[in-house]
Every structure is written in C-alpha cells, then in structure tokens.
Amino acid sequence: MTQLEKGRQGKITQEIESVAKAEGIHPEVLRQRVAEGLAVIPANPNHRGLVPCGIGLGLRTKVNANIGTSPVFPDWQTEVEKLEAALAAGADTVMDLSTGGDVKICLREILSRSHVPVGTVPVYEAAVRTREKSRPVVEMEPEELFAVIEDQAIAGVDFMTVHCGVTRRIVEGLKQRPRLAGIVSRGGAIMAGWMLHRGEENPLYAQFDRLLEICREHDVTLSLGDGLRPGCLADATDWAQLQELMVLGELVLKAREAGVQVMVEGPGHVPLNQVQANIQLQKRLCHGAPFYVLGPIVTDIAAGYDHIAAAIGGALAAWAGADFLCYVTPTEHLGLPTGEDVREGVVASRIAAHAADIAKGLQAAWARDEAMAQARRELDWGKQFELALDPEKARQIRRERNPFDQEVCSMCGEYCAIDLVNKYL
Amino acid sequence: MTQLEKGRQGKITQEIESVAKAEGIHPEVLRQRVAEGLAVIPANPNHRGLVPCGIGLGLRTKVNANIGTSPVFPDWQTEVEKLEAALAAGADTVMDLSTGGDVKICLREILSRSHVPVGTVPVYEAAVRTREKSRPVVEMEPEELFAVIEDQAIAGVDFMTVHCGVTRRIVEGLKQRPRLAGIVSRGGAIMAGWMLHRGEENPLYAQFDRLLEICREHDVTLSLGDGLRPGCLADATDWAQLQELMVLGELVLKAREAGVQVMVEGPGHVPLNQVQANIQLQKRLCHGAPFYVLGPIVTDIAAGYDHIAAAIGGALAAWAGADFLCYVTPTEHLGLPTGEDVREGVVASRIAAHAADIAKGLQAAWARDEAMAQARRELDWGKQFELALDPEKARQIRRERNPFDQEVCSMCGEYCAIDLVNKYL
C-alpha cells in the first residue's frame, strides 16, 4: 500500500511521523494532507536508507538537484561526486537524469548513496537502451519504456517524471499554433517526436493505468512532467502549456483514485508578472496537487547565471504556493554542470525557498533569520557562520577578506555601524 | 541651472536629449518627468567625459555598484580595478564609498576614469578627515562636513547620499522602540552617534538649505539616504524606518522647490511579502521621487550569496516601481568585495533589473529575450553569446564544458530537445 492509501485508512505511517516531526506539524494534520493528495512523501520501500521527506501544502519548500551523465560526460563516478556536492549543499531530493555511459549502474550507485528521495525520467534510460540497439529514439517500443519504469521502480526510485500530458491532439494543435522556442523538454520532445513518427498516441497517456499499477505496487510518486513547458518568455502560459496542464489535472484525479501519490511539474521560462498566475492555475486545475517548478527563470538572457534568474522566479513561485523547486545551475543552456555548479545551484534555490517560506509565515524560517540578526548585532561570527545557509562559504570569505584579526569586518572597519551603535545608542 | 530647472523652463537639454535617445522615448516626455522630479539625470557639469544616464519613471531600471577603499584595504589602485570590473559588467553608475588611505585621490581617479555617474557619501570622507586629526568621528564639526560636500561637488560628483532624515526626534524615539539590529547604515550610525554625543540636531537636516545651495550650484543630485533602514527582516517597515521616510518625503518637496534634483533611498533587509508595500509607501510619501533601493535582500541567512538574495528582492522591488538598484556582492556582511565579487554583484543586479523591465513592459527588454529564444532555437551560439548579459562568462562555460565540437551542448548531446523538434515537428 502507498502512503496515500495508508493515510486514507487513517494510518499514521512511520514516514508521516518522521516528516511531521521534521516539519514541526502534527502527524494527524500531515496524514490528512497526504490522504487528500495535497502533500506527498516520495518513499519507495525498495530505497534503503531513505530519510523520508514531505512535499506539499504547509510544508517547508523543498529543493531538487538534477545530476546524471550525458553522452559527452558518461562517467558515473563524477555524478556520485555531484550527488555528494548536492547533499552537502542541502538538496532535499536529487534526480538522476543520466543519458551517457552505463546509466543502470549510475542509478544504482546514486540510490545506494542517497539518503534523500531519488527521482528519474525513465524515458531517458529507455532512449539510451533504444540507441544502444542502433535504432533512433523515436522507434522506442512502449514495452521497452514500461520495462524501464518497472526496473527503476524495483531498484527503489522514489519519484518519476513521466510526460503523460503530451498528447497527440496537443502536439497536432501545436502545428497550427507555432511557438518561438517549440518544445524544450527532452522527454516532451521524445514523446512528441515518437507520436509524429509512429502516428500513435503517447503510450504514457494511452496506458496510464498500467503506469499507475507499477507506481502503486512500489509506492513510486508520479511527477507529471510538463513536456510542453515554455522554452522562452514569449511562449509562457500559452495554448500548448495550458492544454497540457489541463490534461495533467485530469490525470491527477485518476492517480489519486488508484491510490498513487502524484505531483505536477511546471515551467520553465516565465516573465516575473506571470509567475503567480501560473501557480494559481496549476493549483486550481490540478486540484491542489503539490507543484514542482523548474526555476522558473524570469529572463532568457542570463546564460552563465541562470541559477540567479531561477532564484528570482523560484522565490516568487514558492511564495505563491509552489511546493518544490528544481534548481537550475550556472551552466544551464550551455553544458552539463560541474560539482561546483551543483553546489551553487542548490544554494541559490535554497535561498529562494527560504525567502518564500518566510513570506508564507513558516515559524522556523523566521526564527533562523532572527537568530542571525542577533548574532550580527553581537558581532558573534561563530554563530553567524552556524546560521548561514552555506557556513563553509561564509567562513571562507571572512578568512580571505579579513587579513587582520578584528571584531568588525574589512568593509567598514572602525566605521562599523553596529560598533558605533553599540557604543552610543 | 540644474537639469530640473532647465526642464521646468521647457528646455530640452543635451543630457535630456541623450538619455531620451538611449531609452527610446520622446525627449519632451523625459523633459516633463525631469521637470516634475519623477526622473533625475545626475550630471555634474564638472564631471568630464560623463555619458548622462536617467533614473526614474518609465526608464530602464538602473544598477549601481559600490566600490571604494576601507581601512583594511586602503589602496585606490585596487578600487580603480573594481571600477573597471563594474563598468565591464554593465553598471549604470558607481559610488565611491572610500574610508581608507587617501580618499581624495581615490575619488579623483574614479571620477576621471568613469563615464557613468559617480556618487559618494560625503560623511565618510568627513569621518576620515576627523579621524586623521585623532578625534572620534562623533566630534566632527558641521563645517568640516559641509566643506567635504562642497569639495566633492566641485570635483564633479554627480550624486550624493546624505542622511538628512535621521533626526534627533527619531533617534530619541528609537530608544523607546528598540530594534533587533539597531542602525546598520554607516552614515546613519555616524549621524545618530553625533547627535547623541553632541546633543544637537543632525546638521544635514538643520542646515538642509545650505546643502541645497551647494547641490543647486553644481547640479549634484541628492540621494536622500535611509540611515534608519532595517538591518534584518524583523526590523523591516518599522516605526523608525517609516518616520525617516516621511521626513524624506518632506525634504523631497523642499529640494524640488529649490531646483535640486532628488531621489530617495530605501531598504535593505525586507521579507518578500513586504517589498511591494515598501515601494508603494515610498512612491506615495515621497511624491513619486525616483526610488533607489539597496537590494533589498529577502533573507538574513544568505551570507556568501547575498547578491542572490538581493537579486530576488531587487527584481520584485523594480517590478513594483523602484527605479534604481544598488547591487549587493557575495561578500556583503563578511568583508570588502574583490573585483570578481563586483562583477558577480553587478550581473546579479542586472538580471533583477532586466526581469523587472520585462514585467513592466519595456519593449527593448522583451525584444532582447525574443531574439535570444530565436538564437537558441537555431542553435546559433555566436548570437546567443552576443545577446547574453555576460557574453564572456557564457562563452567560457560553453568552452570549458563542451570538449567536443558539436552543434548541441554537453547537457543533452544527441538527446537535445531542440534538435529533435527541429527534425520531427
């Protein structure tokens, strides 16, 4: 039975208990939200060593880090290092998006070393397997795709992104309603290409019940992918995106009915003034399902700094109700990230999540900032480092930029406002 | 005569002409805004080589970079390097906040090399001069302060931050209404300490007319400083901050009456959900004067990454109507920034400004993002670098993270969505 099914039966599972404790809320409150599908706990019983984590209404905003090999960088060892960087930086979940080298071993290694929930996009492994047989990706057999989904569920994957909402009708409709950036989701593009090539319906949509069966058996949380998310500001909140969102909203109900935990993914590239509307639309059309946004980035021209563009959009999105932020790294749109990029990406997303949690009124978030203000006033550096989102980086800057040992810092020195105020006020 | 006075007389100055052209608006529209004080053009005739820049209603959101020596890092040469870093990164203005070494030479060097408007906080130089005479800062003579203001105006400073709104009444009132972080503005703390020590009114407030005379003579734009800005989220939008803001609103009218260009400075540390209110309050209470915000940072715990916390707050602030963003660097709260920190800070602020300009409907901002989307769809890398906010950084990442020469990038390689879509859609 899934967390959702047990929750519905009134059972406070060990996972609900543990998440409620971490969040500082009553287990019964969380149980009810899980039972109603307003929160999810991606916790595949096959994932050994997992520390459960909740995503959804009233919970701390969570941050995901995407890692994984690519054809150009196929070594799984490097991705294990990125996993460690992501965990050290405070990622709440990771996704293995490998498409290079031995993707099966990479996933196994990540699962065995990650105490946080691990997600995948199974169509990637299916695509790799298809290419290994020297066939184009669009000739993938649905059976192959479902075999990967089942394999990964058995391996212990906690949540899976599946692009079920990219239907034939919408992709056909897209031809009459061209977009500036077309389709930029890899999974979305594969499914669209597949449908156009084979002239058949998306198997993830046509055989959604089969998908649900696998997920129910292993309590894999479905993350309904936004294969038609906008790839530039000009495409945001358009016909294709909303058509897909409405399909996803219907699939949310089907998943819940089948006892499967489900969340919904969202954009992507969104102008600042459309972020809130996007969250409200998703919450309404998808019946309050937890919302997992990629970024969103609020400008297309920040290449090299897209983690900052994503932090802006992510803060606004989470404040408006998004529950789960997928990080973006400085190398987005340019190449696969390094471990250092992973760290930068996670911290940027955590800043956004934390700022939003304060705006949403989460007591624990507010209390930490108050404690930091106190430490600053007292020029208590040890305490300041302890309370910083990235203590190591803060400590390093203080060390490098303060050659002399003094209580104040090298920006103001003897003109330190805090020091002056402590003296005269 | 100042730009404001000339504008009032119906004259379209060379500066108005040049700014209007850069902004793509009609010079007459800009003239009217300058005449009404809704926009300013900080352009001291003594600043040779200045390319004028407009700040205010309907104009592109501008970004300022703070540079300057400190007692620990007194070399002006390093600050000239930071000036170059700031200009290369696209700063619209710089402020020389020097408090170490020969601050007079530093300012002269920065003025002579900067084609963008240069601002100062004259009380810093006055404090340094006082300390040179082995007297505590709080024993500074008002005459010494006004002498510095006049010197700097003659030297060609385009705008000056003066903490005129930190009055005796408010500082006394602060004793009954304690704050978590007290006063964190250096200038604010100096003025507060001075008043408490001497038992006299803030000379910048008491002799505001004298200040106006100097500014009018050299067309120095006043930037009314927020000496009582909150130093932590818990102090945001409190009694002291709003009392000061109301004083500044009255001084705005006095300045305009005297023909002096004026803008108003704002916080600081502000929770996400109070940013918009802060902008609306300022615009209302300060009669539409251009608003210059420091950040704002939306959490206190991002030490080492405060440029990101500031980009979040800055984007929201500029979207809500702030006209001018003061950057924050990664070393804020920890030490004086390096040149690399300056660059990171400027780019982060520019992302915020640009995202807000798109949300505010600035055509040129939108057009650039559309062009980037087009370049991405065509996998035209040269064009993408050209359109990026920091072409050099984008080019560097592409080079470092793509060992093989291929049209797609190393994140997806042969699974590139754009490539798939171009093939099948």
Side-chain angles (χ1 to χ4, degrees):
Chain A
M1 276 209 298
T2 65
Q3 295 291 327
L4 174 57
E5 291 173 305
K6 290 181 205 159
R8 261 189 208 147
Q9 292 185 357
K11 194 169 154 40
I12 290 177
T13 64
Q14 219 177 319
E15 289 77 11
I16 291 178
E17 187 82 44
S18 140
V19 169
K21 198 175 163 196
E23 300 278 345
I25 61 172
H26 198 283
E28 176 52 26
V29 173
L30 182 59
R31 182 204 60 76
Q32 203 171 323
R33 286 182 196 157
V34 170
E36 289 174 13
L38 305 179
V40 295
I41 300 178
N44 184 329
N46 301 333
H47 182 183
R48 283 162 189 249
L50 173 72
V51 177
C53 158
I55 299 164
L57 187 67
L59 307 182
R60 182 172 61 77
T61 303
K62 303 304 185 297
V63 166
N64 174 72
N66 287 338
I67 55 175
T69 60
S70 76
V72 174
F73 296 107
D75 294 336
W76 62 263
Q77 290 88 343
T78 319
E79 301 313 308
V80 165
E81 284 168 28
K82 290 184 200 168
L83 167 69
E84 278 153 18
L87 296 178
D92 296 296
T93 68
V94 295
M95 288 189 79
D96 174 14
L97 307 185
S98 290
T99 56
D102 195 329
V103 297
K104 223 179 161 70
I105 289 186
C106 189
L107 177 58
R108 192 190 63 198
E109 293 298 324
I110 286 173
L111 272 166
S112 73
R113 291 158 204 254
S114 172
H115 66 273
V116 302
V118 173
T120 58
V121 185
V123 76
Y124 293 173
E125 186 180 332
V128 170
R129 290 195 191 175
T130 307
R131 295 291 297 127
E132 280 167 359
K133 294 172 197 151
S134 300
R135 283 152 49 208
V137 165
V138 292
E139 285 180 11
M140 172 193 304
E141 289 300 325
E143 288 310 312
E144 293 173 305
L145 176 54
F146 279 99
V148 169
I149 293 171
E150 188 142 27
D151 275 6
Q152 293 191 348
I154 292 166
V157 167
D158 302 291
F159 62 104
M160 288 183 192
T161 294
V162 273
H163 300 92
C164 309
V166 185
T167 64
R168 251 182 114 179
R169 181 184 65 81
I170 306 176
V171 171
E172 288 297 337
L174 203 51
K175 291 182 182 169
Q176 276 77 56
R177 301 168 183 86
R179 289 174 138 187
L180 187 49
I183 301 177
V184 297
S185 149
R186 264 189 292 188
I190 292 172
M191 297 326 297
W194 188 92
M195 287 186 280
L196 292 169
H197 181 73
R198 307 251 306 205
E200 291 171 34
E201 183 57 275
N202 178 348
L204 295 168
Y205 178 75
Q207 302 183 49
F208 190 64
D209 290 339
R210 185 174 173 189
L211 185 61
L212 290 178
E213 256 173 65
I214 301 170
C215 292
R216 182 169 172 275
E217 188 178 344
H218 302 281
D219 198 1
V220 173
T221 299
L222 273 183
S223 188
L224 298 174
D226 53 338
L228 298 170
R229 67 170 172 267
C232 65
L233 299 196
D235 292 343
T237 333
D238 75 343
W239 181 89
Q241 185 198 323
L242 294 187
Q243 284 289 341
E244 182 187 31
L245 187 64
M246 285 184 262
V247 172
L248 299 184
E250 289 173 2
L251 298 181
V252 162
L253 295 183
K254 281 198 178 184
R256 286 181 184 166
E257 204 176 317
V260 171
Q261 299 194 91
V262 61
M263 52 189 173
V264 173
E265 297 184 13
H269 294 237
V270 185
L272 209 48
N273 55 328
Q274 291 178 28
V275 172
Q276 195 187 24
N278 266 272
I279 311 302
Q280 290 171 339
L281 276 169
Q282 184 276 349
K283 286 283 170 181
R284 172 66 187 87
L285 293 170
C286 297
H287 316 282
F291 198 22
Y292 177 23
V293 293
L294 173 54
I297 63 171
V298 292
T299 169
D300 299 331
I301 64 166
Y305 302 85
D306 272 323
H307 61 308
I308 297 179
I312 296 172
L316 210 58
W319 177 26
D323 308 281
F324 191 20
L325 304 181
C326 186
Y327 86 167
V328 172
T329 78
T331 69
E332 184 76 24
H333 299 110
L334 295 167
L336 202 71
T338 64
E340 183 52 30
D341 296 320
V342 166
R343 173 195 169 125
E344 291 280 316
V346 169
V347 176
S349 260
R350 286 184 66 209
I351 292 170
H354 181 75
D357 284 342
I358 286 172
K360 286 200 255 191
L362 262 76
Q363 285 303 315
W366 182 262
R368 186 160 166 185
D369 280 47
E370 270 198 349
M372 176 62 99
Q374 188 70 33
R376 283 210 173 117
R377 176 158 200 166
E378 290 162 5
L379 293 167
D380 181 342
W381 292 96
K383 195 98 194 166
Q384 286 182 58
F385 298 142
E386 209 178 281
L387 288 162
L389 271 171
D390 183 347
E392 198 187 316
K393 176 85 170 275
R395 218 176 261 119
Q396 181 196 334
I397 293 177
R398 165 96 179 147
R399 204 165 41 228
E400 287 174 6
R401 298 299 292 163
N402 292 276
F404 311 118
D405 188 29
Q406 53 179 3
E407 205 191 8
V408 294
C409 92
S410 66
M411 183 178 264
C412 308
E414 60 174 310
Y415 303 103
C416 175
I418 291 170
D419 208 32
L420 274 164
V421 166
N422 288 347
K423 236 176 250 161
Y424 293 99
L425 217 73
Chain B
M1 276 208 297
T2 65
Q3 296 291 328
L4 174 58
E5 291 173 304
K6 291 181 204 159
R8 260 188 208 149
Q9 293 187 355
K11 192 166 155 46
I12 290 176
T13 63
Q14 221 177 319
E15 289 77 12
I16 290 177
E17 187 84 44
S18 139
V19 169
K21 198 175 163 194
E23 300 279 346
I25 61 172
H26 197 284
E28 177 51 28
V29 172
L30 182 58
R31 183 204 60 76
Q32 201 169 327
R33 287 183 195 155
V34 170
E36 291 175 10
L38 306 178
V40 295
I41 301 178
N44 184 329
N46 301 334
H47 182 185
R48 284 164 190 248
L50 174 72
V51 177
C53 158
I55 299 163
L57 187 68
L59 308 181
R60 181 172 61 74
T61 303
K62 302 304 184 299
V63 166
N64 174 72
N66 286 338
I67 55 176
T69 60
S70 76
V72 175
F73 295 108
D75 294 337
W76 62 263
Q77 289 90 342
T78 320
E79 300 313 308
V80 166
E81 284 168 30
K82 289 184 201 168
L83 167 70
E84 279 153 17
L87 296 178
D92 296 297
T93 68
V94 295
M95 288 189 80
D96 175 13
L97 307 186
S98 290
T99 56
D102 194 329
V103 296
K104 221 177 161 71
I105 289 186
C106 189
L107 177 59
R108 192 189 65 200
E109 294 297 324
I110 286 172
L111 272 166
S112 73
R113 290 158 205 254
S114 172
H115 66 274
V116 303
V118 173
T120 57
V121 185
V123 77
Y124 294 172
E125 186 179 329
V128 171
R129 289 195 191 177
T130 307
R131 295 290 298 127
E132 281 168 357
K133 294 174 199 152
S134 301
R135 283 154 48 208
V137 165
V138 291
E139 286 182 10
M140 173 192 304
E141 289 301 323
E143 288 310 312
E144 292 173 304
L145 176 53
F146 279 99
V148 168
I149 292 171
E150 188 142 27
D151 275 7
Q152 294 191 346
I154 292 167
V157 167
D158 302 291
F159 63 103
M160 288 183 193
T161 294
V162 273
H163 300 92
C164 310
V166 185
T167 64
R168 252 183 112 180
R169 180 184 63 82
I170 305 176
V171 171
E172 289 296 337
L174 204 51
K175 290 183 183 168
Q176 276 77 55
R177 301 170 184 86
R179 290 174 136 187
L180 189 48
I183 302 177
V184 297
S185 149
R186 263 188 294 187
I190 292 172
M191 297 325 299
W194 189 90
M195 287 185 280
L196 292 170
H197 180 73
R198 307 250 307 204
E200 293 171 32
E201 183 56 277
N202 178 348
L204 295 168
Y205 178 75
Q207 302 184 49
F208 190 63
D209 291 339
R210 184 174 174 189
L211 184 62
L212 290 178
E213 254 173 66
I214 302 170
C215 292
R216 182 169 171 274
E217 188 178 344
H218 302 283
D219 198 0
V220 173
T221 299
L222 273 184
S223 189
L224 299 174
D226 53 339
L228 298 170
R229 66 169 174 271
C232 65
L233 298 196
D235 292 342
T237 333
D238 74 344
W239 181 88
Q241 185 196 325
L242 295 186
Q243 285 289 342
E244 182 186 31
L245 186 64
M246 285 184 263
V247 173
L248 299 184
E250 288 172 4
L251 299 181
V252 162
L253 294 183
K254 281 198 179 184
R256 285 181 184 164
E257 204 178 313
V260 170
Q261 300 193 89
V262 61
M263 53 189 175
V264 173
E265 298 184 12
H269 293 238
V270 185
L272 209 48
N273 54 329
Q274 291 179 26
V275 172
Q276 197 187 23
N278 266 273
I279 312 302
Q280 290 170 341
L281 277 169
Q282 184 276 349
K283 286 283 171 181
R284 171 66 187 86
L285 293 170
C286 297
H287 317 282
F291 198 20
Y292 178 22
V293 293
L294 174 54
I297 63 171
V298 292
T299 168
D300 299 329
I301 64 166
Y305 302 84
D306 272 322
H307 61 308
I308 298 179
I312 296 171
L316 210 58
W319 176 27
D323 307 282
F324 191 18
L325 304 180
C326 186
Y327 85 167
V328 172
T329 78
T331 69
E332 184 75 24
H333 299 110
L334 295 167
L336 202 71
T338 65
E340 183 52 31
D341 296 320
V342 166
R343 174 194 170 125
E344 290 281 317
V346 170
V347 176
S349 260
R350 285 184 66 209
I351 292 170
H354 181 76
D357 284 344
I358 287 172
K360 286 200 254 191
L362 262 77
Q363 285 303 315
W366 182 262
R368 186 161 166 185
D369 280 46
E370 271 198 349
M372 176 62 100
Q374 187 71 32
R376 284 210 172 117
R377 175 157 202 168
E378 290 162 5
L379 293 167
D380 180 341
W381 292 96
K383 195 99 194 161
Q384 285 182 58
F385 297 142
E386 209 177 282
L387 289 162
L389 270 172
D390 184 349
E392 197 187 316
K393 176 87 171 273
R395 218 176 262 120
Q396 181 196 333
I397 294 177
R398 164 98 179 144
R399 204 166 41 228
E400 287 173 7
R401 296 301 293 163
N402 293 275
F404 311 119
D405 188 31
Q406 53 177 5
E407 206 191 8
V408 293
C409 91
S410 66
M411 183 177 265
C412 308
E414 60 174 308
Y415 303 103
C416 174
I418 291 171
D419 208 34
L420 274 164
V421 167
N422 288 347
K423 238 176 245 160
Y424 293 99
L425 217 75

